Amino acid sequence: MALIKFGIELPNILPWPVLREAALTMDGQRWRGAWTYDHLMPCTAEELPLTVSSTRECEEGPILEGWTLLAAMAAVTKRIRLGTMVTSATMRHPALLCKEAVTVDHISGGRVDLGLGTGWHEHEHAAFGVPLGGLKTRCDRFEESAGLIHHLLNGPYPVTWQGQFFHLQEAPFAPVPVQKPLPLLLAGGGEKRILPVTAKYGEACNLYVNMFSSMEELRRKLKVLQELCHKVGRDYGSIRKTVTMYADLIDDEQEAFKFRRFMGQHLYDEEADALPFGSAARIIEAIEPLIELGIDEVVFNGPYPSPEKLTRLDQEVLSAFD
């Protein structure tokens, strides 16, 4: 059994033929998961403001819708798992989101993860007329959405729900998921609001490492999650732990150094210099401490998903953890 598994975020800004070829390539390799964004506009300008020269040019670029993209990938692949990293709790009613996830679950034969987050992209929400709300509202809605999704995916049916944001009255829900359970992945490391919801409802969680969070922060958040699981009588080991890692193979060390400094310009120099952009050995070295922390899956963000790059990562990085 592999020491740790790997996924990659496939950028929805790429054309379908490119994404299709990437999914098919991954399906025959060591990869566990292909993850899509779930946004209505490219989020790079707000997520990584230091790495783009024009917010307008970035946000007006093309982007495919995440869940219908997963359905298409499900139809052409046989093994790889599929999911969103992640769906904003603001974008869809939980019942509709569950119906979409279960549909992809059936198309794929039980290979989907439902990723859920609070939502954060202010310009996206304003542009499309979707209420975002302040931090408390987002966290409240996220908590209620997670609870209702957990109920819809696991029964019993029909479902009656009277909450602050959502109301269901004797709602039927069929077909049920192929998976028992269909994993609900909850993203975010907020220790007061997000991790308690994860301990209560999540089959999986996602946290950041390197670009937006240090190893020390990751260790602390995992400890908090373990303590919260104990409080609610939940087996901490039953929650699959994933981290998003910004990394890429760059053969020219001079170019790799420049890229590390560019991507890490908001970090101290020593932190930027440690970013896993460069050789396979550098990426492997960054992954190894995660095994000791009990991380189950590393989700790469950054590599262009060409068959050549995916194959190199599979052979030079993923194979080191067989």
Side-chain angles (χ1 to χ4, degrees):
M1 181 180 293
L3 297 173
I4 195 167
K5 295 182 185 288
F6 297 89
I8 192 168
E9 290 195 42
L10 296 177
N12 304 26
I13 60 174
L14 297 175
W16 163 241
V18 175
L19 296 170
R20 181 182 186 276
E21 188 173 25
L24 288 170
T25 299
M26 296 171 68
D27 207 37
Q29 297 177 345
R30 292 176 177 83
W31 300 96
R32 178 186 186 270
W35 301 86
T36 64
Y37 307 145
D38 192 19
H39 286 278
L40 301 178
M41 64 168 60
C43 58
T44 309
E46 200 165 321
E47 186 179 21
L48 299 174
L50 299 176
T51 67
V52 296
S53 57
S54 169
T55 297
R56 180 174 179 179
E57 181 181 349
C58 171
E59 293 185 343
E60 290 182 354
I63 185 166
L64 299 174
E65 194 280 320
W67 276 100
T68 46
L69 182 59
L70 287 180
M73 289 182 182
V76 299
T77 57
K78 297 180 180 178
R79 182 195 61 82
I80 198 166
R81 292 193 63 82
L82 305 160
T84 53
M85 192 62 78
V86 288
T87 290
S88 169
T90 60
M91 288 293 181
R92 299 171 184 81
H93 191 291
L96 174 60
L97 177 58
C98 284
K99 183 61 72 173
E100 291 175 336
V102 170
T103 299
V104 179
D105 197 45
H106 279 260
I107 295 170
S108 67
R111 293 184 285 122
V112 72
D113 289 52
L114 197 169
L116 186 74
T118 59
W120 57 269
H121 199 317
E122 293 182 7
H123 189 195
E124 174 185 48
H125 284 74
F128 289 95
V130 178
L132 177 62
L135 182 59
K136 182 182 185 303
T137 298
R138 279 181 270 168
C139 289
D140 289 345
R141 183 170 47 217
F142 170 79
E143 181 173 3
E144 185 175 333
S145 295
L148 178 50
I149 288 169
H150 184 269
H151 192 162
L152 285 166
L153 292 179
N154 295 279
Y157 308 107
V159 175
T160 293
W161 183 276
Q162 298 297 326
Q164 178 183 354
F165 300 95
F166 310 107
H167 307 277
L168 277 68
Q169 185 64 42
E170 294 294 307
F173 194 79
V176 298
V178 173
Q179 300 178 85
K180 296 180 176 51
L182 189 159
L184 174 61
L185 178 147
L186 300 177
E191 297 173 21
K192 293 182 178 180
R193 296 297 310 272
I194 307 304
L195 292 182
V197 178
T198 303
K200 191 173 182 180
Y201 297 119
E203 277 80 38
C205 67
N206 180 260
L207 301 167
Y208 275 101
V209 72
N210 69 22
M211 282 282 291
F212 298 111
S213 179
S214 67
M215 195 66 69
E216 290 72 25
E217 287 177 289
L218 175 62
R219 184 178 290 107
R220 186 187 72 248
K221 290 180 186 301
L222 290 171
K223 183 178 180 181
V224 169
L225 179 59
Q226 187 172 21
E227 292 169 352
L228 289 166
C229 285
H230 179 72
K231 286 182 180 179
V232 300
R234 181 87 187 275
D235 177 11
Y236 171 73
S238 69
I239 298 176
R240 182 174 180 80
K241 297 140 192 96
T242 76
V243 296
T244 295
M245 173 182 282
Y246 288 80
D248 198 4
L249 285 170
I250 303 175
D251 292 324
D252 186 292
E253 176 51 32
Q254 195 170 28
E255 290 300 315
F257 175 79
K258 292 179 181 177
F259 194 73
R260 290 194 293 269
R261 284 296 179 94
F262 175 66
M263 291 295 285
Q265 56 190 282
H266 62 296
L267 304 172
Y268 292 113
D269 285 352
E270 59 269 24
E271 294 174 329
D273 291 342
L275 291 173
F277 296 99
S279 67
R282 174 180 284 271
I283 299 174
I284 291 168
E285 184 180 8
I287 293 167
E288 286 174 338
L290 299 174
I291 297 174
E292 298 177 10
L293 290 179
I295 298 301
D296 297 294
E297 181 176 352
V298 172
V299 180
F300 290 126
N301 195 325
Y304 184 85
S306 66
E308 295 76 20
K309 177 61 69 69
L310 291 168
T311 298
R312 283 196 60 193
L313 285 166
D314 175 61
Q315 295 178 351
E316 299 176 29
V317 177
L318 276 58
S319 65
F321 299 93
D322 284 350

